[in-house]
Amino acid sequence: MKSFIQLLIFICFIFIFNSCDKDEDVSSGNASNITVTVDGKKHVFNTIQVSVYENDLFVSREFWARIDNKPNRVISFSMTDYPDSLEHRFIYSQDGKHYTRGMQGTYLNSHFTKNSATQLVGTFSGKLYDLDRDSVSLENGTIHIIY
């Protein structure tokens, strides 16, 4: 009986420590999300992952956002900060199709009000195209990521 109680206590401790793991969801405990209207329908991307690479020449950050951690809709973008400029890449993926800047000269318009080592806040809108020249319209996009 004593062994059974010790085993039960051990299992409870394992459950408690695993259920409180902070690394499972970057956005837990803060209001990180990306909200955007895609072809007239509003979506909130609430699962955010961030990766940072830094050296003497630049700082590069990669962001991935999903809706409830599901793979069918993904926003991925990178921002590379150079001493005198900022470069970014943006891809919207939906059901296996990947949309990015169009060959027709259209671009995604973006404006960032906060761009720091721990936070990214801004807005975006525009039209993106896949390789077949199908397009998606992104409107009223907001980014609020704390990492």
Side-chain angles (χ1 to χ4, degrees):
M1 183 70 173
K2 183 178 177 182
S3 296
F4 176 75
I5 292 174
Q6 287 175 339
L7 179 63
L8 186 61
I9 291 171
F10 178 73
I11 291 172
C12 287
F13 275 115
I14 290 174
F15 177 77
I16 290 170
F17 286 118
N18 283 336
S19 65
C20 295
D21 190 1
K22 183 180 171 184
D23 294 332
E24 288 180 16
D25 183 4
V26 172
S27 64
S28 65
N30 61 45
S32 292
N33 66 56
I34 296 175
T35 302
V36 63
T37 301
V38 179
D39 288 338
K41 186 174 179 188
K42 184 177 179 178
H43 299 282
V44 178
F45 293 78
N46 56 1
T47 305
I48 310 291
Q49 294 174 305
V50 181
S51 178
V52 179
Y53 175 76
E54 194 170 343
N55 66 27
D56 293 337
L57 302 175
F58 61 87
V59 176
S60 180
R61 291 168 287 152
E62 298 276 339
F63 300 87
W64 296 271
R66 293 177 182 84
I67 300 171
D68 298 327
N69 205 25
K70 295 178 183 173
N72 60 325
R73 291 181 190 266
V74 179
I75 290 176
S76 61
F77 63 98
S78 67
M79 297 187 71
T80 304
D81 294 310
Y82 295 99
D84 59 350
S85 66
L86 173 69
E87 179 180 299
H88 62 18
R89 171 191 57 80
F90 191 97
I91 299 172
Y92 172 73
S93 301
Q94 178 178 322
D95 300 323
K97 290 185 89 173
H98 307 290
Y99 300 87
T100 189
R101 296 193 301 189
M103 303 284 278
Q104 297 83 357
T106 59
Y107 295 98
L108 189 72
N109 298 312
S110 60
H111 175 71
F112 296 98
T113 57
K114 181 85 172 174
N115 180 11
S116 71
T118 60
Q119 190 174 10
L120 183 66
V121 177
T123 60
F124 65 95
S125 64
K127 192 171 254 191
L128 301 177
Y129 294 85
D130 70 359
L131 292 176
D132 296 326
R133 296 188 179 158
D134 293 329
S135 67
V136 294
S137 177
L138 305 178
E139 299 171 345
N140 303 315
T142 62
I143 299 171
H144 185 262
I145 301 174
I146 300 169
Y147 57 99

